[in-house]
Amino acid sequence: MATPVVTKTAWKLQEIVAHASNVSSLVLGKASGRLLATGGDDCRVNLWSINKPNCIMSLTGHTSPVESVRLNTPEELIVAGSQSGSIRVWDLEAAKILRTLMGHKANICSLDFHPYGEFVASGSQDTNIKLWDIRRKGCVFRYRGHSQAVRCLRFSPDGKWLASAADDHTVKLWDLTAGKMMSEFPGHTGPVNVVEFHPNEYLLASGSSDRTIRFWDLEKFQVVSCIEGEPGPVRSILFNPDGCCLYSGCQDSLRVYGWEPERCFDVVLVHWGKVADLAICNNQLIGVAFSQSNVSSYVVDLTRVTRTGTVARDPVQDSRPPTQQPPHPSAPLRRIYERPSTACSKPQRVKQNSESERRSPSSEDDRDERESRAEIQNAEDYNEIFQPKNSISRTPPRRSEPFPAPPEDDMATAKEAAKPSPATDAQFPVPNICPGGAGTLEVLSRPPVVTSTPAPKAEPAIFPATRNEPIGLKASDFLPAVKIPQQAELVDEDAMSQIRKGHDTMCVVLTSRHKNLDTVRGVWTTGDIKTSVDSAVAINDLSVVVDLLNIVNQKASLWKLDLCTTVLPQIEKLLQSKYESYVQTGCTSLKLILQRFLPLITDILAAPPSVGVDISREERLHKCRLCYKQLKSISNLVKSKSGLSGRHGSAFRELHLLMASLD
């Protein structure tokens, strides 16, 4: 009798080169789980069928990198927003541009289609949310309330509400009919990256960079529970279609949560890095991630994942045993959305829009639409996925089959494949998974990379923060050279000398850095933050400054005006570094300083001189002049880098907006 084949719970499905330049955004079609749209720095939107190597369609027309993309529920329309603030809507079945929407003054950070009506919501770095009528090519309403970039927008399943998440640490709920904010949900201590409505109940989930997921009751407008202890910033969450649990795409893992009470049902190891979007189809969860010009797709078999009942591992710091049973999906505790049988009516226009938002399409817009093209690059896949509208009877696309799971690796291969990534292990600990559960370690095989366009192998100008190998080191340098297959077995001493090559030098570097950090830590324990930073700067090692700033950035209350005078010259160095992690830390620190101290600095410098002698005021004025001079120097650097593409360009443009008052 044949032994049954043990298959994987999670595996890598495919890797493609999606664009000629860096990928800046992507989205999965939620209805099919098989359609993938990617936006790139090459100003294109490309359409892909999951697990197929060739691009189906390439949409052109944008003149700046595409920052956000979204498919509508039937997967017939796609909307894409660019860095310049323009929005374009394409009809995928007709393979043509449908609308060009202008009005935002900065990057488009988030988009969503209304579930029934022909409306699109857009959120921008200019802090505004706009609701657009696709049919009449106009802005129906503008929602103001956020103070920083709007990172995520979601319509409620019944189409009556709109939820928004922003960098100002808040989640807001908007009533589309009344045209006003219904409620604001404070509580997060970091930028909120994602929000999702429960598919049936009046419940909203939000994920933040503060490493928490919060659940909000939409009847009582209060927090239900909070999941803490995520391994990194929460960027991708998805409710199960029946609403029994919430999936969170963490760094290299999938976590399954319940919320009443808060608990973790399961943890599955998936080596997908920073997953960007999730979808469910045929009892399989599809996850996609991107790095530079590559996009990778992964599959998790949900039939082998615990989604309710026994708690696999409680990530919440309060480890008290749950006192209530999870609610049964068929008997929800909250109201259920009432979905209309027909398309919803147009949202009420509470106030008159500006002339620029009400005007008819201009000749310039018409020219843009003529210049936009939908290039069908794979006619067979296009005809299979997008049914033509003029056919006599439109049947839905044939039901896709689940992706076959590869067999589990043997133990020898598993040991080799499970070697940890240095970049990942340095940042996040591997979760402590209960033995025997569905969250046991899954080793992912690496199928050959499928490419649709040639990928040039050029030395990067900036070293990415997440990488799979050390910069300047190759594994082959530490292994004995094999000249011929029949070579005699290497002597142990020779092998060890090869492996240890450069080891002493590395030990000296690490020992020196440990000593420097220990010195800073000794000062830190005294509670004097300013002296700690001064000691780190005096060491003249940027890596130590970065480590210290990463800690100070987590608590904004630690920042003082005299600290800014010391840190700003270091920030200028970090912004010019070739290491992405250094640039990111510098941008975060500069953003905190601008938000907390720039208004104070400008007010003090603009104030008339005081009468008499005020020593403390003179000291404060001196610090403000010093900070202002340093900020002016940095503003020129920020302005020169604001034209960059990708994440760096977006961060520098945001800083440039914050520093506008310096000009």
Side-chain angles (χ1 to χ4, degrees):
M1 184 174 179
T3 305
V5 177
V6 180
T7 57
K8 293 175 181 287
T9 300
W11 64 96
K12 185 174 183 178
L13 188 66
Q14 181 190 33
E15 183 174 349
I16 56 174
V17 178
H19 288 266
S21 57
N22 287 345
V23 177
S24 50
S25 56
L26 57 74
V27 69
L28 281 166
K30 299 298 185 289
S32 67
R34 293 295 186 267
L35 186 62
L36 171 67
T38 61
D41 287 354
D42 57 4
C43 310
R44 286 176 173 260
V45 178
N46 291 340
L47 276 296
W48 309 82
S49 180
I50 294 291
N51 205 30
K52 291 190 177 181
N54 299 318
C55 178
I56 303 170
M57 187 189 304
S58 186
L59 309 174
T60 63
H62 276 300
T63 56
S64 59
V66 178
E67 292 282 299
S68 182
V69 287
R70 191 76 179 170
L71 290 156
N72 71 339
T73 304
E75 299 176 5
E76 298 169 347
L77 303 178
I78 186 171
V79 60
S82 72
Q83 283 185 359
S84 65
S86 67
I87 301 169
R88 292 173 187 264
V89 184
W90 285 272
D91 186 328
L92 298 180
E93 293 190 338
K96 68 175 185 178
I97 184 77
L98 192 63
R99 288 288 181 264
T100 299
L101 308 171
M102 309 291 287
H104 283 291
K105 298 178 181 178
N107 301 23
I108 304 297
C109 304
S110 52
L111 295 162
D112 197 26
F113 275 100
H114 193 277
Y116 302 106
E118 294 184 359
F119 300 98
V120 167
S122 60
S124 170
Q125 197 166 292
D126 63 12
T127 74
N128 290 328
I129 300 169
K130 295 195 176 189
L131 186 65
W132 307 86
D133 186 338
I134 301 176
R135 296 165 298 185
R136 58 179 297 276
K137 194 180 180 179
C139 179
V140 178
F141 204 81
R142 176 169 53 190
Y143 304 92
R144 294 176 175 176
H146 285 293
S147 60
Q148 295 186 46
V150 182
R151 293 298 174 187
C152 185
L153 293 173
R154 289 292 183 270
F155 285 102
S156 60
D158 60 1
K160 296 179 180 178
W161 299 338
L162 177 68
S164 60
D167 284 353
D168 59 10
H169 306 181
T170 64
V171 175
K172 297 181 188 293
L173 190 66
W174 309 86
D175 187 326
L176 298 181
T177 305
K180 64 180 181 180
M181 186 176 71
M182 290 180 59
S183 182
E184 177 177 327
F185 301 110
H188 284 293
T189 58
V192 188
N193 302 315
V194 61
V195 285
E196 285 292 341
F197 283 94
H198 190 281
N200 303 312
E201 302 175 27
Y202 276 32
L203 184 75
L204 181 73
S206 59
S208 167
S209 293
D210 63 9
R211 304 187 180 188
T212 67
I213 300 173
R214 291 179 178 266
F215 296 90
W216 310 94
D217 188 310
L218 299 184
E219 287 184 281
K220 302 176 181 177
F221 300 109
Q222 63 186 26
V223 66
V224 174
S225 58
C226 177
I227 302 288
E228 299 178 349
E230 288 283 278
V234 182
R235 293 186 177 88
S236 186
I237 58 176
L238 180 68
F239 278 102
N240 200 65
D242 64 4
C244 67
C245 64
L246 179 83
Y247 302 103
S248 174
C250 308
Q251 177 81 18
D252 285 332
S253 68
L254 174 73
R255 298 190 175 204
V256 189
Y257 292 119
W259 49 90
E260 285 181 313
E262 59 268 31
R263 59 214 185 279
C264 181
F265 292 134
D266 210 344
V267 181
V268 182
L269 190 63
V270 193
H271 293 298
W272 51 25
K274 293 180 181 178
V275 64
D277 199 18
L278 303 171
I280 294 175
C281 180
N282 296 325
N283 246 334
Q284 291 180 332
L285 183 139
I286 314 298
V288 285
F290 63 90
S291 176
Q292 296 180 346
S293 61
N294 290 1
V295 172
S296 303
S297 53
Y298 299 81
V299 181
V300 179
D301 184 355
L302 295 181
T303 61
R304 298 174 61 181
V305 174
T306 304
R307 288 177 275 182
T308 185
T310 307
V311 177
R313 185 176 71 91
D314 188 2
V316 185
Q317 293 177 358
D318 182 3
S319 58
R320 292 172 294 177
T323 57
Q324 61 185 109
Q325 294 298 319
H328 193 274
S330 62
L333 300 176
R334 294 178 187 79
R335 288 178 58 188
I336 296 178
Y337 295 106
E338 298 176 359
R339 291 171 170 81
S341 56
T342 59
C344 76
S345 59
K346 181 187 296 185
Q348 180 180 346
R349 301 180 73 176
V350 175
K351 73 172 189 177
Q352 195 73 8
N353 295 312
S354 64
E355 183 63 30
S356 62
E357 290 171 348
R358 289 187 285 110
R359 68 176 186 266
S360 59
S362 66
S363 58
E364 183 179 349
D365 294 336
D366 293 338
R367 188 194 66 214
D368 287 344
E369 292 184 13
R370 286 196 300 270
E371 291 178 353
S372 301
R373 300 192 309 277
E375 302 169 359
I376 300 175
Q377 301 188 359
N378 191 308
E380 184 178 347
D381 287 345
Y382 170 80
N383 291 329
E384 179 183 343
I385 295 173
F386 305 113
Q387 311 294 313
K389 285 185 175 178
N390 57 3
S391 57
I392 296 176
S393 92
R394 290 190 65 231
T395 56
R398 57 195 176 97
R399 180 176 176 81
S400 58
E401 295 296 324
F403 294 115
E408 188 62 85
D409 299 322
D410 57 40
M411 292 307 294
T413 309
K415 290 179 181 178
E416 181 66 24
K419 290 180 180 178
S421 163
T424 302
D425 291 349
Q427 296 178 25
F428 309 117
V430 176
N432 182 19
I433 306 170
C434 294
T440 51
L441 175 65
E442 293 295 336
V443 183
L444 307 180
S445 61
R446 292 189 173 272
V449 176
V450 181
T451 60
S452 58
T453 56
K457 298 292 182 179
E459 185 69 21
I462 290 185
F463 296 118
T466 54
R467 49 184 182 267
N468 294 325
E469 59 183 23
I471 295 299
L473 297 176
K474 296 181 180 178
S476 58
D477 294 340
F478 297 88
L479 298 176
V482 179
K483 296 180 179 178
I484 52 174
Q486 294 79 15
Q487 183 179 6
E489 186 175 345
L490 202 66
V491 182
D492 289 348
E493 288 78 5
D494 294 339
M496 287 301 296
S497 65
Q498 289 281 349
I499 294 172
R500 289 177 62 88
K501 184 174 66 173
H503 177 72
D504 293 338
T505 305
M506 181 64 72
C507 285
V508 170
V509 173
L510 294 178
T511 302
S512 173
R513 184 171 182 187
H514 182 272
K515 181 181 177 181
N516 292 338
L517 288 172
D518 210 32
T519 302
V520 175
R521 181 177 175 274
V523 182
W524 180 275
T525 52
T526 65
D528 191 342
I529 308 301
K530 174 67 164 57
T531 309
S532 302
V533 175
D534 287 340
S535 64
V537 172
I539 291 171
N540 198 24
D541 184 351
L542 270 184
S543 63
V544 177
V545 175
V546 168
D547 289 339
L548 188 58
L549 286 180
N550 283 333
I551 297 171
V552 179
N553 288 343
Q554 293 181 17
K555 194 170 184 181
S557 60
L558 295 176
W559 286 91
K560 306 295 179 187
L561 189 59
D562 56 349
L563 186 63
C564 298
T565 60
T566 304
V567 171
L568 281 171
Q570 303 303 311
I571 289 177
E572 188 169 7
K573 295 178 183 178
L574 294 177
L575 296 183
Q576 300 177 74
S577 173
K578 63 181 179 181
Y579 296 105
E580 183 184 34
S581 59
Y582 286 21
V583 178
Q584 289 173 347
T585 300
C587 288
T588 303
S589 299
L590 182 57
K591 184 178 176 181
L592 282 169
I593 291 174
L594 292 172
Q595 290 172 342
R596 289 180 63 87
F597 296 104
L598 185 56
L600 173 68
I601 292 171
T602 53
D603 288 347
I604 290 177
L605 293 178
S610 61
V611 179
V613 178
D614 187 342
I615 301 298
S616 61
R617 187 185 184 280
E618 289 298 324
E619 289 178 351
R620 189 164 59 250
L621 182 61
H622 174 70
K623 293 174 184 176
C624 288
R625 285 172 177 164
L626 189 57
C627 288
Y628 186 83
K629 181 180 179 181
Q630 293 167 341
L631 286 172
K632 282 288 288 182
S633 175
I634 294 175
S635 68
N636 296 327
L637 174 63
V638 170
K639 185 177 181 180
S640 66
K641 290 181 175 288
S642 61
L644 295 175
S645 58
R647 287 177 298 175
H648 287 299
S650 179
F652 281 115
R653 277 186 291 278
E654 185 175 4
L655 291 173
H656 185 52
L657 288 175
L658 291 173
M659 303 178 83
S661 60
L662 293 172
D663 297 335

